[in-house]
Amino acid sequence: MPDARALERRLDRLQARAESLAAEHGRVRAEEAALAAFLDLAPRAARTLENLATALFGELLDEIEANLTYAVREILGQDRTVTSLREVKNNRLQVTFQIHAGDQPENLEDILHGQGGSVCNILSVGLRLIALSQLDPARHRPFLVLDEQDCWLRPALVPRFMKCIAEIAKRLNLQVLVISHHPLDLFVNACDRVLTLVPDRLLGAGFARS
């Protein structure tokens, strides 16, 4: 027969082991409950973040829509409206701009090819000006170079285009350098200074003159 004291010691060890396993089981169950609560909260948190992001950028996007719509109508002389499609993907706010005729959102126009590319010219310049205006002036110079951004515009629309750029740049306190192949007379009334680049046969480069 086993010794009674030995059995008591074994029983004590088994009871201690049982208490330890019970405590570990309770800890694991508590962690499981906390994870379940977190996973239950995650979808609601994602929706809250989406609503917050949309609210934070909503006012800015509304202003961008209004400015781009104004630019398109002033330059093209047509009843077009720019709108933005806002959605959150992978926890990031993504914005897609659309353009349609008047107040008919279902009548969408291809931004890249609309009006022979003129729409893309106008929107890309407008977005660059707006983006530059949102940067920290202590770290970024208020200066923008537009290289042939009027390439798809008809010559008759170039003065309107330049006038709109000049007005926005002045309002945002930006300096803009525009490079173009259009005739100089289209820029005279919309620019502070116009320079002509002409080839130099000796130097093999161009030089500027007023």
Side-chain angles (χ1 to χ4, degrees), residues 8 21 52 76 123 147 173:
E8 288 179 356
L21 291 175
L52 180 61
L76 297 180
L123 294 188
D147 187 7
N173 196 27

Side-chain angles (χ1 to χ4, degrees), residues 120-134:
C120 184
N121 281 148
I122 297 169
L123 294 188
S124 64
V125 171
L127 289 174
R128 292 181 188 187
L129 288 168
I130 293 169
L132 185 57
S133 71
Q134 300 302 309

Side-chain angles (χ1 to χ4, degrees), residues 134-160:
Q134 300 302 309
L135 297 178
D136 182 1
R139 299 180 56 192
H140 302 274
R141 295 181 180 178
F143 179 76
L144 177 65
V145 177
L146 299 176
D147 187 7
E148 297 188 60
Q149 286 296 135
D150 57 354
C151 58
W152 300 112
L153 287 174
R154 299 195 311 273
L157 298 178
V158 173
R160 296 183 187 176

